[in-house]
Structures are given as structure tokens and as C-alpha cells.
Amino acid sequence: MQEKLNKAQTAFNQWRFLAFEDKQKLIARASEILKNRAEDLGKIITKEMNKPISQAIAEVQKCALMMDYYAIAENSLKPEKIASEYSLSEVHFVPKGVILGVMPWNFPFWQVLRFATPTLLSGNTAVLKHASICFESGRAIENILLEAGFPEGVFQNLEIGHNEVRQILESPIIKGVSLTGSEKAGAEVAALAGRNIKKSLLELGGSDAFIILDDADLNKASQTGAWARLQNCGQTCVAAKRFIIQENVYAGFLDLLVSEFKKYQPGNPLNKDTLFSGMARADLADELENQYKKALEHGAEVILPLERISDTAFKPSLIAVERANPILQEELFGPVGIVLRAKDDNEALDLANDIPYGLSNSVWTANLERADFYIKNLESGTVNINRMTSSDPRFPFGGTKLSGYGTELSLLALKEFVTAKTVIIQ
């Protein structure tokens, strides 16, 4: 491991000075490789964590689109001139060095490349600690970047366990860490980074609200809502986890949503027609089942039961809960949707904000003035109107509260792991 860290540091000493445009050419080449091999790479994802092959291929293709964005992006790291009485006053953006990425299993390619692409383009080098079930994805990503022409050491996959993360973070070679994962993992890594005075970026969990108002297009909202909850078997931080429905359309929308949920039945993930398959691991399915039982013990009403049909597969579930149910303070990472009833806009907003997370929310209304009320008052990193949450390389992605801090994607991500150096000449 130390040898790889040394290699990353040696690579940084040269990589940092490579022209921004030359780095972009390498990113463009890597994108082409992803496009050409999307199906084969998708099979790696499916084999590792059960994602339906069509969604796995789409994940690889989305990575390519993201890399295409950065391959032609404006160089926002050029020195910025500051008007002053001095003969020269500028801000230079200097890469920090070797950055550690700690990445999860639910999007084995997307999460890694979403972190790595702007980090490398900023002039840093990176080492990856991937989820233990996704080591093959990590190897594939490293090989793709090497094949595209990235120098050895610029990006390296470390096949290590969680216990070794502490040792890596404490190394003086590591200058920052980006983690996508659970609140618990984020707190541990951030605390360790803080003790060592190192920059951290955290993209953590969410319990996103999907708010249905009485002037919404109920058909479109129910179709989109089911997909927003059940894609990737519900194992998505920005999934629509809480359906907050205005009471005068509650029954009508719920009937539509139940009908849509029933269309998602577990299938063979290697079949291209499959939209919904099993969870990534049996222990994750156990955890979801325990949370479901906890919700029922505290009064949740079963709308669609959580039926387990194998070690990892369920039929999707819907439960209705009251505000006091403690399950609302947790993230359900799997195919269970929560339904709540709201009298009006104020109660819907209050329910949406009354959780420890703040990643993204979706509001369905035909009235843009009503929408503006939510845009101004929802406590989240993203607000979507009449659409589900989906990350886009053009727009900043990140959360607030226990959903983490820092920005991924967009040009803002280029400045996450740089130092703003002030330069003044008298």
C-alpha cells in the first residue's frame, strides 16, 4: 500500500503541471472506451451487485457523458485577477495532491468516476478504496484510464478493507478524502480527516420527499414516483423515499401509485427487459426487513407488504406512517416506499423538512408560485419541480444536514480539492 501511495505522490509531481487541455484529451479518450465497452462493463456491475443489466449499461454510458462534459468544460481554474492598487493581484488554484476516494457499491462506476474525473482534471492524483464487492469494477476503471493514456500512478485502485482506511488517511501523502456512503461511515472518515487537518467531501444518505399537491398531474407523478423509488432496487441515495400527498388527492394518487408499484416484479438481472431485481447482498436485505418490521411495530399501515422471495429479492412495498413513527428518522435503502398525508402546503413542507437528511426533494404542482414556496423553503441540496431527482454533470450535486457537505459535478467540483493561493506583487 505504501508503495502505491508513493507512486501517487510521484505521479502528482508531474501530473499537476500537465496543461488542463491535455488532461481533457485523456478524459475524452477514456469516455470513448466506456462507450465502446458499455455492455461488457455493465456485466461486471450486474455480477457484483445484481443491478439489472440495462441499468448497469446505462450507468456506464452516463459516466461517459459526464466525462464528455468535463472534456470540453471551461477551465475555471485559470488564475483570477483581482482589481487592486497592486501591480498584480491574483488568485491561483493549486491542486492539493493525492486524494483518497472511498466509494460505495450501489453505482460501482458512476460514484467512482464522478469523484475521480474533476479531481484528476484539477491536477490531483487519486487512490480508490472501493466497496469490497466491487473490486473488479475498481480494477476495470484503473485499466480504462491507463489505456486512455493517463500516466501510471495518477489513478490507482487499492483492494483493501475498511480497517486500512485509517492508515491511509493518516499518511502525510494523502491531502484529502471524498466519501460517498452511509452517515456512519461519513462521520468516521470526516472525524479522522479532521484530526489530521485534511479536507473532506461527504455525499451521504437521503430520505427524499416526493410531494404531490392537489393540482399535480397524478398519472405522470405516479409513474415517475414508482421509478424514482424502485430503480436500482431502491438502493439510491436520491430515491423518492417519502411520498407526501395532499389529503384531497390522497386516495386517488395512492391507487395510481399502488398500480405502478405492482408492475415492478423481481426478474433476472441479466435479462435486458428486467427493470427490477434483487438487492446487492443478503445482509442488506436483512437490514431492510428489520427496518420494515420496526415501522410496523410503531403503527405503520401496510399498503403493499414487503414479500421476500429469495435471499436478496423482495416484491416492492408501500407503507403509510404517521409523523411520530421513528422510521422517518432513518434511511430505507431498498424497495420500500413511505406514504404520508398532508393537509396543505405548510404541512407538506414541514413533513418534508422534519428529518435529519437534506439531499434532494421533488414537488409536483401545476402552479409555479406554489413551487416557489417549496424552492425557497425546502432544506435540501436540490429541488426538482415535476421531475424526479437525477444527477446531471452540468449542475452541482450535494446535500445539507446529515446528507453531507461539499459539491460534486459541475464546474464547482473542480475547486473542491484545490487551494486558493493569493498572489500579490507590490
Side-chain angles (χ1 to χ4, degrees):
M1 184 173 64
Q2 186 60 48
E3 183 180 345
K4 288 195 171 186
L5 294 182
N6 292 339
K7 191 174 183 179
Q9 181 62 50
T10 299
F12 169 69
N13 292 334
Q14 295 183 331
W15 176 255
R16 61 180 298 190
F17 295 115
L18 187 68
F20 189 88
E21 294 75 16
D22 290 334
K23 295 186 184 81
Q24 287 182 305
K25 290 175 184 176
L26 298 176
I27 290 170
R29 289 179 199 160
S31 171
E32 288 304 310
I33 296 171
L34 290 172
K35 293 172 188 174
N36 293 334
R37 298 184 195 161
E39 187 156 346
D40 289 339
L41 297 172
K43 289 176 181 176
I44 294 174
I45 295 172
T46 298
K47 181 177 69 173
E48 288 181 326
M49 49 77 63
N50 280 333
K51 181 174 296 188
I53 187 64
S54 61
Q55 295 174 37
I57 293 170
E59 178 181 335
V60 176
Q61 292 169 335
K62 183 175 181 178
C63 291
L65 290 174
M66 178 269 298
M67 296 182 86
D68 285 343
Y69 165 80
Y70 283 109
I72 60 171
E74 173 191 356
N75 183 359
S76 60
L77 300 177
K78 290 179 179 178
E80 292 183 5
K81 295 186 181 298
I82 307 295
S84 73
E85 71 275 22
Y86 300 107
S87 61
L88 182 143
S89 48
E90 294 180 339
V91 178
H92 294 190
F93 298 101
V94 181
K96 288 186 176 295
V98 184
I99 308 301
L100 170 64
V102 182
M103 296 293 133
W105 46 262
N106 59 333
F107 289 89
F109 271 65
W110 172 249
Q111 308 282 25
V112 172
L113 288 169
R114 185 176 72 180
F115 145 71
T117 303
T119 300
L120 299 181
L121 185 54
S122 299
N124 302 287
T125 57
V127 291
L128 167 68
K129 188 273 178 254
H130 214 325
S132 58
I133 64 172
C134 296
F135 284 165
E136 188 175 352
S137 287
R139 288 194 295 271
I141 292 168
E142 180 176 0
N143 289 334
I144 287 165
L145 296 181
L146 287 170
E147 184 178 341
F150 284 77
E152 288 193 12
V154 168
F155 178 92
Q156 295 177 89
N157 177 51
L158 307 178
E159 297 188 5
I160 60 174
H162 288 295
N163 293 336
E164 294 168 279
V165 171
R166 172 184 293 273
Q167 182 182 349
I168 294 174
L169 253 179
E170 290 178 339
S171 167
I173 289 176
I174 296 296
K175 298 300 190 294
V177 58
S178 177
L179 177 140
T180 297
S182 69
E183 174 194 338
K184 180 177 182 291
E188 291 173 354
V189 166
L192 185 57
R195 284 198 296 272
N196 288 274
I197 321 299
K198 296 180 180 182
K199 172 71 181 288
S200 60
L201 185 158
L202 303 180
E203 198 277 277
L204 307 178
S207 188
D208 294 3
F210 197 90
I211 302 170
I212 312 300
L213 303 179
D214 57 7
D215 59 349
D217 182 334
L218 300 186
N219 285 308
K220 184 177 179 182
S222 62
Q223 293 166 10
T224 304
W227 174 246
R229 184 63 191 102
L230 299 176
Q231 64 166 323
N232 201 26
C233 200
Q235 301 166 121
T236 307
C237 58
V238 293
K241 298 187 174 102
R242 296 175 300 137
F243 295 90
I244 299 173
I245 310 164
Q246 194 166 356
E247 62 183 4
N248 53 333
V249 293
Y250 182 89
F253 177 77
L254 194 55
D255 285 345
L256 293 169
L257 188 64
V258 167
S259 178
E260 292 298 326
F261 261 55
K262 287 180 177 178
K263 294 177 182 178
Y264 290 82
Q265 299 298 316
N268 180 354
L270 289 172
N271 186 332
K272 288 188 176 181
D273 293 328
T274 296
L275 292 178
F276 182 77
S277 57
M279 295 181 66
R281 300 193 312 258
D283 64 303
L284 298 170
D286 292 342
E287 183 178 344
L288 180 71
E289 199 166 42
N290 289 335
Q291 288 179 296
Y292 173 80
K293 291 175 182 176
K294 176 181 177 180
L296 299 189
E297 289 168 0
H298 288 84
E301 173 193 349
V302 175
I303 301 170
L304 288 174
L306 185 66
E307 297 181 44
R308 193 165 184 171
I309 62 173
S310 74
D311 284 350
T312 59
F314 296 99
K315 291 184 178 181
S317 167
L318 278 171
I319 56 175
V321 305
E322 298 296 331
R323 186 176 197 147
N325 198 308
I327 203 64
L328 289 170
Q329 304 306 309
E330 301 178 15
E331 179 182 27
L332 292 173
F333 214 65
V336 178
I338 294 176
V339 175
L340 299 107
R341 189 190 304 254
K343 295 190 298 293
D344 53 27
D345 287 335
N346 287 321
E347 185 175 26
L349 175 70
D350 196 29
L351 287 169
N353 285 339
D354 190 24
I355 60 166
Y357 303 101
L359 195 53
S360 181
N361 292 295
S362 179
V363 181
W364 291 74
T365 176
N367 186 323
L368 292 182
E369 289 185 6
R370 290 182 88 181
D372 190 58
F373 167 75
Y374 289 94
I375 291 168
K376 291 176 178 176
N377 292 290
L378 281 168
E379 297 169 353
S380 59
T382 301
V383 178
N384 298 278
I385 306 300
N386 297 327
R387 68 182 297 275
M388 63 180 276
T389 297
S390 58
S391 54
D392 184 310
R394 298 170 295 177
F395 309 127
F397 181 85
T400 186
K401 299 174 15 180
L402 292 188
S403 290
Y405 51 76
T407 298
E408 295 189 302
L409 301 178
S410 80
L411 294 179
L412 292 178
L414 293 173
K415 294 183 178 178
E416 279 293 333
F417 292 105
V418 299
T419 298
K421 178 190 286 187
T422 297
V423 177
I424 298 175
I425 300 177
Q426 182 66 45

